[in-house]
Amino acid sequence: MSESPFPLKPVALPESPEQRFEKFLRARGKRVTAQRRLIVAVIFSHHDHFDADDLMAHLRDRMRSRDVSRPTVYRTLSELVEAGLLRRMTLRDRYVYEHGYGYPDHDHLYCQACHRLIEFYTPLLDEIREQVSREHRFEAVSHRLLISGFCENCLREQRKQSAQTEPNSESEGGQSAGPTSAES
């Protein structure tokens, strides 16, 4: 897959995700626990899209030793979304999370076959958002776009499988079976 002509640029942060989360918790009278700190550290140690099961796989050893519990993982994910540190998307039948803090605004392409998420940014969407907002006297602060379809690899595989299953016109008495679903 080729790289986007509009790559995502780094964002300067006034405070670390851990510091921001601690402020959020304290402002709501909640405790800053070692479990919560560990979960935030694991999540922000690298950037990827993940669900709760993926996160718990990263925390497997800590969960076995009972340093972190399953309910705490789910509760902390919700708090991180509420604090603006994570964004939550619904894909198929599950929640998928990504960094909402310390990562630039961007949108996604979602492959319905392999379930891959491809991040991209284009200033054209920002221009459209601003134009539509002006027309409706609306102050936009963000947007989220998820384009569903099929990635290059899955399309190639679908075409290959379709070509292998098409009837041979000579063995069928010279009659074509008509267009395949990929052609129609």
Side-chain angles (χ1 to χ4, degrees), residues 44-77:
F44 285 92
S45 67
H46 58 284
H47 179 79
D48 59 356
H49 299 93
F50 65 95
D51 65 13
D53 290 335
D54 296 330
L55 178 56
M56 286 186 270
H58 283 290
L59 296 166
R60 184 174 324 150
D61 292 339
R62 300 307 277 275
M63 292 182 78
R64 280 189 196 131
S65 64
R66 303 207 188 274
D67 290 339
V68 177
S69 69
R70 187 176 190 87
T72 299
V73 169
Y74 281 104
R75 192 170 33 255
T76 303
L77 285 170

Side-chain angles (χ1 to χ4, degrees), residues 50-183:
F50 65 95
D51 65 13
D53 290 335
D54 296 330
L55 178 56
M56 286 186 270
H58 283 290
L59 296 166
R60 184 174 324 150
D61 292 339
R62 300 307 277 275
M63 292 182 78
R64 280 189 196 131
S65 64
R66 303 207 188 274
D67 290 339
V68 177
S69 69
R70 187 176 190 87
T72 299
V73 169
Y74 281 104
R75 192 170 33 255
T76 303
L77 285 170
S78 292
E79 291 167 340
L80 288 165
V81 169
E82 188 181 343
L85 293 165
L86 291 180
R87 289 188 198 110
R88 181 173 66 193
M89 298 177 275
T90 304
L91 297 178
R92 296 182 308 166
D93 59 348
R94 65 190 180 115
Y95 289 133
V96 175
Y97 299 89
E98 70 171 347
H99 295 176
Y101 179 72
Y103 207 71
D105 284 339
H106 60 280
D107 297 291
H108 297 90
L109 301 172
Y110 173 64
C111 180
Q112 294 175 310
C114 70
H115 309 292
R116 180 174 167 216
L117 272 174
I118 302 165
E119 296 179 333
F120 74 94
Y121 170 77
T122 176
L124 299 172
L125 288 174
D126 291 341
E127 292 171 23
I128 292 168
R129 182 185 72 199
E130 295 308 314
Q131 178 185 345
V132 170
S133 295
R134 276 193 307 276
E135 289 172 9
H136 294 275
R137 295 185 178 142
F138 183 81
E139 184 177 332
V141 294
S142 71
H143 74 270
R144 180 182 288 177
L145 177 66
L146 178 71
I147 300 172
S148 296
F150 300 95
C151 72
E152 178 181 35
N153 294 337
C154 290
L155 283 172
R156 188 179 313 114
E157 188 61 32
Q158 285 175 354
R159 288 181 185 124
K160 188 168 114 179
Q161 287 177 3
S162 178
Q164 290 173 352
T165 59
E166 285 182 8
N168 183 337
S169 60
E170 291 176 19
S171 65
E172 298 289 326
Q175 294 182 352
S176 172
T180 65
S181 62
E183 295 172 327

